[in-house]
Amino acid sequence: MKQSSTPIIKLIPDFLDYCEVGKGLSQKTQENYQRYLQKFILWLKKVKKDDLLPHQLTSEDIWAYRLYLSRFQGQKGQFLKRITQNYYLIALRALLGYFTAKDIESLPADKIQLPKAPEAEKTLKFLSLEQIEKLLSAADAKTPTGLRDRAILESLFSTGLRIAELVALNREQFANLKNKKDLELGIIGKGQHPRTVYFSERALEWIKKYLATRDDKNKTLFIHYRARHDSDARLTSRSIERIVKKYALLSGVPFFTTPHTLRHSMATDLLTQGVDLRTIQEFLGHKNIVTTQIYTHVTNKRLRDVHRQYHSLGKDSKK
C-alpha cells in the first residue's frame, strides 16, 4: 500500500472513471455515486478538511460524517431517511474499495457499517389491480402525448422494467409487430445482466397504436414531442417519473406512486396468482433471491389465510 499525496476530493473523478472503465457500471450508477459523494465533499469543506488525504481519513471522521447525515435537514426541514443515509455511506464505501483496488492506503471499506433501516421504511408500496386500472386509464389516448403515456404505463406494469431499462428501448426492438399478440424482448438490465421481459397482448396493442402515430425517423421508442429536431428526443428517467406522478394525481391513486411502484405491483400481482419467488426473480432481473424476498409480505399473508381456513387442528374442535 502506498500513501497518496492527492486529496480525497481530487481522487473522486478518478474513482468515477474506474466505475465506468474498470468495473463497467452503468451510467446511472456512476451518476448516483457522483451525487452521493457530493454530500461527502460538502461535509469535508464544512469541517475544513477538503485537503484530507486518503490515509488521513479516520474512523472518527466516518462517525462525524454519519452524525452529519443523521442531522441533515433538507429545504423543507425534513431529515434524511435511514435508508437514504445508507445510500451516501454505500457510495463512500465504494470509494474506499477503489482505494484498496489501487493500493492506496486508507480505511478498509468494511469499517463503514450500514445502520439497519427501520421496518417502517422497508414497507413495500404497491397498487391493487383496481388502482392500476385507474392509473392506466387516466391517460387521454385521443392525443399523441396521451397515447404515448398510456403505452408507457402499460409497458411498465406488463414487464416490470426498471425506469432506465424503459428509457433505453428503441423502435427497432418493436419491428414487425403486425401479427404478434405479445412479445418476448431481450434487454440488458442493471449491472449489464441480460434478461427477457414480456409485453402482454394488451401492452403491445397500446405500443402498436402509439407507433402508428409516429411519422419521424427517430430510433428512440418513447420520445419527447417538444424536443428540437437537432436534439436527442429520448425521454429521460426524470421525464418518465413526472409522467407517472401526473397520472397518479389525475387518477387519485396513492401519492407515493412512481415507475418503481408499477414494478412492485407487477411482482405482487404475479405472487398473488401463485407464481414462485424464483420465477419472480427472473422476471425482475434480481441477481440475488434475497432481493426478491421483499415480496414475501404477499405470500406470508396468503399462507396464513390458507392455514386458518384449511388446517384441521387450527379449527375450533367444538364446531
Side-chain angles (χ1 to χ4, degrees):
M1 287 286 183
K2 60 181 181 292
Q3 292 186 351
S4 173
S5 59
T6 305
I8 292 174
I9 288 179
K10 293 186 177 180
L11 287 171
I12 289 177
D14 294 337
F15 162 67
L16 296 173
D17 289 341
Y18 171 76
C19 288
E20 178 184 3
V21 180
K23 301 199 72 175
L25 299 181
S26 68
Q27 183 178 350
K28 185 65 177 178
T29 302
Q30 296 169 50
E31 290 172 356
N32 285 338
Y33 277 153
Q34 185 175 26
R35 178 158 55 91
Y36 291 129
L37 286 172
Q38 189 61 35
K39 182 81 72 181
F40 183 61
I41 291 172
L42 291 174
W43 176 77
L44 286 173
K45 292 180 177 179
K46 180 182 176 68
V47 297
K48 301 188 183 334
K49 289 191 174 185
D50 41 319
D51 59 350
L52 192 72
L53 303 178
H55 65 275
Q56 294 173 333
L57 184 69
T58 66
S59 296
E60 288 73 24
D61 291 323
I62 299 299
W63 177 250
Y65 179 55
R66 287 180 58 176
L67 285 176
Y68 169 75
L69 291 175
S70 69
R71 295 169 181 175
F72 181 84
Q73 289 181 276
Q75 294 180 348
K76 297 181 179 179
Q78 295 178 324
F79 291 97
L80 293 175
K81 290 183 178 180
R82 190 72 59 82
I83 195 168
T84 305
Q85 294 176 41
N86 280 353
Y87 293 150
Y88 290 106
L89 295 174
I90 288 169
L92 181 55
R93 196 159 64 173
L95 177 63
L96 297 186
Y98 162 72
F99 291 153
T100 299
K102 293 298 181 180
D103 291 325
I104 297 173
E105 184 180 334
S106 183
L107 276 176
D110 58 13
K111 286 293 184 181
I112 301 180
Q113 298 295 320
L114 301 179
K116 290 186 177 180
E119 288 302 317
E121 290 185 18
K122 296 179 183 177
T123 302
L124 188 67
K125 295 181 172 65
F126 63 97
L127 303 180
S128 66
L129 286 182
E130 182 181 357
Q131 290 170 327
I132 288 289
E133 284 291 356
K134 286 182 179 179
L135 177 68
L136 300 182
S137 301
D140 182 6
K142 295 178 181 178
T143 67
T145 300
L147 189 56
R148 177 205 64 189
D149 295 349
R150 179 66 183 260
I152 288 172
L153 294 171
E154 293 279 355
S155 297
L156 285 169
F157 181 63
S158 173
T159 61
L161 281 166
R162 296 181 178 92
I163 188 169
E165 296 165 349
L166 181 88
V167 166
L169 294 175
N170 290 320
R171 287 171 77 174
E172 64 182 9
Q173 295 171 284
F174 295 83
N176 305 317
L177 294 179
K178 188 174 181 180
N179 298 318
K180 290 185 179 180
K181 288 189 174 182
D182 51 24
L183 179 68
E184 297 180 20
L185 187 66
I187 66 165
I188 302 299
K190 186 176 181 180
Q192 297 299 300
H193 296 295
R195 81 173 192 279
T196 302
V197 295
Y198 301 86
F199 289 80
S200 65
E201 181 176 355
R202 171 170 156 167
L204 198 60
E205 195 59 38
W206 282 107
I207 290 176
K208 289 178 183 178
K209 291 177 181 178
Y210 159 64
L211 287 176
T213 67
R214 294 272 301 276
D215 57 3
D216 59 88
K217 296 182 180 181
N218 197 299
K219 69 175 185 177
T220 303
L221 178 60
F222 293 121
I223 62 170
H224 195 313
Y225 283 117
R226 295 180 181 177
R228 298 196 315 269
H229 291 296
D230 59 344
S231 65
D232 184 7
R234 189 181 299 272
L235 284 173
T236 64
S237 296
R238 186 71 187 113
S239 297
I240 301 294
E241 288 171 354
R242 282 195 293 262
I243 287 168
V244 173
K245 186 61 68 178
K246 169 186 174 181
Y247 293 111
L249 292 171
L250 283 174
S251 62
V253 301
F255 72 94
F256 59 69
T257 302
T258 66
H260 218 66
T261 308
L262 294 178
R263 178 173 159 87
H264 289 324
S265 301
M266 174 263 203
T268 300
D269 179 50
L270 290 175
L271 273 170
T272 303
Q273 302 301 322
V275 180
D276 63 274
L277 279 177
R278 286 288 179 187
T279 304
I280 299 295
Q281 179 187 4
E282 292 184 29
F283 276 131
L284 297 180
H286 287 160
K287 189 175 181 181
N288 196 317
I289 188 66
V290 173
T291 308
T292 318
Q293 286 173 342
I294 60 174
Y295 296 101
T296 54
H297 70 287
V298 177
T299 51
N300 287 346
K301 181 181 183 303
R302 185 159 54 85
L303 288 172
R304 185 188 65 206
D305 292 343
V306 169
H307 185 275
R308 285 177 177 174
Q309 184 175 357
Y310 296 107
H311 187 40
S312 300
L313 295 181
K315 299 176 182 178
D316 191 338
S317 59
K318 295 181 181 180
K319 293 183 179 181

